[in-house]
Amino acid sequence: MASSSVAADLELDRPNLEDYLPPDSLPQEAPRNLHLRDVLDISPVLTEAAGAIVDDSFTRCFKSNSPEPWNWNIYLFPLWCLGVVIRYGILFPLRSLTLAIGWLAFFAAFFPVHFLLKGQDKLRSKIERKLVEMMCSVFVASWTGVIKYHGPRPSTRPHQVFVANHTSMIDFIILEQMTAFAVIMQKHPGWVGFIQKTILESVGCIWFNRNDLRDREVTARKLRDHVQHPDNNPLLIFPEGTCVNNQYTVMFKKGAFELGCAVCPIAIKYNKIFVDAFWNSKKQSFTMHLVRLMTSWAVVCDVWYLPPQYLREGETSIAFAERVRDMIAARAGLKKVPWDGYLKHNRPSPKHTEEKQRIFADSVLMRLEEK
């Protein structure tokens, strides 16, 4: 059983080369009169290619972990079938009903408060914060969330920003049920976008489009303005900029560490005993992600609020970001990798790929002509 588990892990870590190589990049026939010593003569290029294949830590950051099958004999299969009936036939309808009732109660209270208390901004903001926290608690209940919070609860005060590792959009929900954070988040379409525009803006959330450079400048200005006001909700940023599978942590964007305020790290670690909470947005909509969570037994998670950190004398914002990332990785048991998470959304330039292919082809052809 141990050898099969190791083999499964190796298969999980193996990159899919078809994603990186064009169909016509490999020869149809093996070259004639080519010996191993000839190939080894192009060792610089070969070493670079082999290193990319063997240590493709970037691909592993965004791979979901498929659960190992345990219904492999006649004794366990009936129990597995019973579990499927309970999860899909009993728990899922009950959780869906809980979520529906929660939404009805939320909208029945939120919209009257939002439109009728426009002249009383402080009272309206306070009630809206409590309603958003309540709705996030309903979401957590719909997964049978078992969340353990460690450390002092965040307080509302100026000149501070909270940063956390990012696994799924449910990170925000889990943190929001305890404290009404104003989060910076990518704009989303559909019902998630509707919630962003109509509800989450009431707690001061900031939206951006990662593909619009002008939007980034506007967002940076909004962040600096937000942390200066004492009445604003605490600002929450996921500096990785994308969802990672909760085994690794990619580079932190430095924007959160250039605001001239205290940085409060938050480490989030999911227990995958019942379900993998990683959201692969390229393969699954957020709706289906929620359905997967609601048809699992439970979502188990630990959250650590770590001590505030300040920029040290002579320390750059990049070094500051790495120091905070070290703290989060150590607390949550994550492996650090030196990759920019935006590469998940923006593939390398075709010119760069073609140049690498040309260098490799020239090296092989030069050696063949010598023969």
Side-chain angles (χ1 to χ4, degrees):
M1 294 296 290
S3 62
S4 64
S5 176
V6 172
D9 290 340
L10 292 176
E11 181 65 23
L12 176 64
D13 288 345
R14 184 176 293 114
N16 184 6
L17 297 183
E18 294 179 359
D19 291 341
Y20 302 92
L21 298 178
D24 56 350
S25 63
L26 296 177
Q28 302 299 322
E29 297 180 0
R32 298 179 181 178
N33 301 325
L34 183 63
H35 303 286
L36 179 60
R37 63 177 180 273
D38 302 321
V39 177
L40 293 178
D41 284 343
I42 60 170
S43 57
V45 178
L46 197 62
T47 300
E48 183 180 355
I53 293 173
V54 173
D55 188 26
D56 186 14
S57 54
F58 178 76
T59 301
R60 287 180 288 184
C61 293
F62 309 106
K63 279 191 173 181
S64 301
N65 292 328
S66 302
E68 295 186 9
W70 57 271
N71 56 338
W72 46 269
N73 64 26
I74 195 172
Y75 305 106
L76 297 176
F77 184 72
L79 295 176
W80 178 82
C81 291
L82 178 62
V84 171
V85 171
I86 294 174
R87 288 188 292 114
Y88 285 85
I90 299 178
L91 293 181
F92 181 61
L94 290 176
R95 291 167 174 174
S96 299
L97 180 62
T98 300
L99 194 59
I101 294 174
W103 274 120
L104 290 175
F106 174 81
F107 284 126
F110 181 85
F111 286 116
V113 169
H114 185 73
F115 291 107
L116 298 179
L117 295 180
K118 284 191 174 182
Q120 306 178 42
D121 292 340
K122 288 189 176 181
L123 177 61
R124 184 183 66 174
S125 297
K126 182 177 181 180
I127 296 176
E128 287 177 346
R129 281 199 301 265
K130 294 299 181 181
L131 288 174
V132 170
E133 291 176 4
M134 180 272 293
M135 192 61 225
C136 289
S137 298
V138 172
F139 265 108
V140 174
S142 71
W143 320 319
T144 313
V146 182
I147 317 298
K148 294 182 179 179
Y149 297 91
H150 311 268
R153 180 172 174 173
S155 59
T156 302
R157 63 174 182 264
H159 307 294
Q160 66 174 357
V161 59
F162 291 81
V163 297
N165 57 300
H166 198 23
T167 305
S168 167
M169 208 187 303
I170 71 169
D171 300 337
F172 165 71
I173 297 175
I174 288 173
L175 297 176
E176 195 77 2
Q177 76 162 345
M178 293 295 292
T179 302
F181 286 105
V183 69
I184 173 173
M185 187 185 296
Q186 164 74 18
K187 293 179 181 177
H188 289 274
W191 67 271
V192 177
F194 171 77
I195 292 175
Q196 287 179 325
K197 294 178 182 178
T198 58
I199 298 173
L200 295 182
E201 282 190 356
S202 65
V203 292
C205 294
I206 302 171
W207 318 119
F208 70 95
N209 185 352
R210 62 168 57 95
N211 296 321
D212 190 343
L213 294 178
R214 292 175 300 178
D215 203 17
R216 296 183 186 181
E217 296 175 0
V218 174
T219 301
R221 186 171 64 253
K222 289 181 179 179
L223 294 180
R224 289 191 293 269
D225 294 340
H226 185 96
V227 298
Q228 302 300 323
H229 295 285
D231 295 332
N232 287 343
N233 293 326
L235 184 63
L236 172 64
I237 299 178
F238 298 105
E240 290 173 301
T242 189
C243 295
V244 188
N245 65 5
N246 209 230
Q247 290 181 304
Y248 298 86
T249 174
V250 297
M251 291 171 54
F252 279 11
K253 301 292 183 296
K254 64 178 182 177
F257 305 89
E258 295 178 327
L259 299 176
C261 60
V263 175
C264 306
I266 302 176
I268 305 173
K269 183 64 176 180
Y270 292 93
N271 189 326
K272 301 178 182 179
I273 184 172
F274 295 122
V275 66
D276 185 0
F278 170 56
W279 177 38
N280 190 339
S281 58
K282 284 186 171 293
K283 295 183 178 180
Q284 190 178 51
S285 67
F286 187 63
T287 301
M288 294 309 300
H289 178 60
L290 288 179
V291 169
R292 186 163 64 90
L293 298 180
M294 293 172 66
T295 53
S296 68
W297 290 109
V299 174
V300 183
C301 176
D302 283 276
V303 177
W304 290 272
Y305 298 108
L306 303 179
Q309 302 298 310
Y310 299 87
L311 184 68
R312 296 171 179 171
E313 184 177 356
E315 187 178 40
T316 65
S317 58
I318 295 177
F320 186 20
E322 281 300 299
R323 177 161 60 86
V324 172
R325 185 163 77 114
D326 287 340
M327 293 180 60
I328 293 176
R331 178 66 272 184
L334 306 176
K335 300 176 184 177
K336 289 181 56 182
V337 292
W339 296 110
D340 187 341
Y342 275 8
L343 290 176
K344 173 184 175 183
H345 304 279
N346 301 296
R347 301 297 295 271
S349 169
K351 292 183 179 180
H352 178 75
T353 304
E354 292 172 2
E355 180 66 16
K356 289 292 184 180
Q357 292 173 349
R358 186 189 62 77
I359 294 174
F360 182 76
D362 290 345
S363 301
V364 174
L365 291 175
M366 185 181 299
R367 186 58 191 168
L368 291 176
E369 288 174 357
E370 293 176 0
K371 293 297 181 180

